[in-house]
Amino acid sequence: MSYHDIITIEPDKRGGKPCIRRMRITVYDVLGWLAAGMSTAEIIDDFPELTETDIRACLEFAADREHRLVASVSAA
């Protein structure tokens, strides 16, 4: 699985934030629910349009983004 097949970015939807399969549910929404302690099963119970694969794609997207993050350090 690749998150590229699941995570979509459309400029006119949710301000261009990464969403799941063209829905209005953002990666940030899912990560927030997980961070708040919700389980995958609880998220799917609340949002049955989501799948476990969707939730894993959000985690993969976040991990990839973190991996690409580069800090700029200036010498003073």
Side-chain angles (χ1 to χ4, degrees), residues 11-32:
D12 59 338
K13 188 175 287 175
R14 296 292 304 262
K17 292 181 182 172
C19 294
I20 301 165
R21 292 185 288 111
R22 302 197 183 313
M23 293 187 277
R24 297 190 59 78
I25 300 172
T26 66
V27 169
Y28 178 81
D29 293 333
V30 173
L31 295 176

Side-chain angles (χ1 to χ4, degrees), residues 49-61:
E49 62 272 33
L50 295 177
T51 67
E52 283 188 42
T53 301
D54 294 333
I55 294 169
R56 280 196 308 275
C58 291
L59 292 170
E60 184 183 347
F61 177 86

Side-chain angles (χ1 to χ4, degrees), residues 1-75:
M1 179 212 50
S2 171
Y3 73 82
H4 294 83
D5 301 328
I6 296 170
I7 306 301
T8 57
I9 298 174
E10 300 174 69
D12 59 338
K13 188 175 287 175
R14 296 292 304 262
K17 292 181 182 172
C19 294
I20 301 165
R21 292 185 288 111
R22 302 197 183 313
M23 293 187 277
R24 297 190 59 78
I25 300 172
T26 66
V27 169
Y28 178 81
D29 293 333
V30 173
L31 295 176
W33 299 327
L34 290 169
M38 288 181 76
S39 69
T40 299
E42 290 171 322
I43 294 169
I44 292 170
D45 281 347
D46 287 351
F47 300 92
E49 62 272 33
L50 295 177
T51 67
E52 283 188 42
T53 301
D54 294 333
I55 294 169
R56 280 196 308 275
C58 291
L59 292 170
E60 184 183 347
F61 177 86
D64 188 46
R65 218 170 140 174
E66 177 66 19
H67 179 73
R68 294 172 189 259
L69 184 66
V70 177
S72 176
V73 179
S74 64

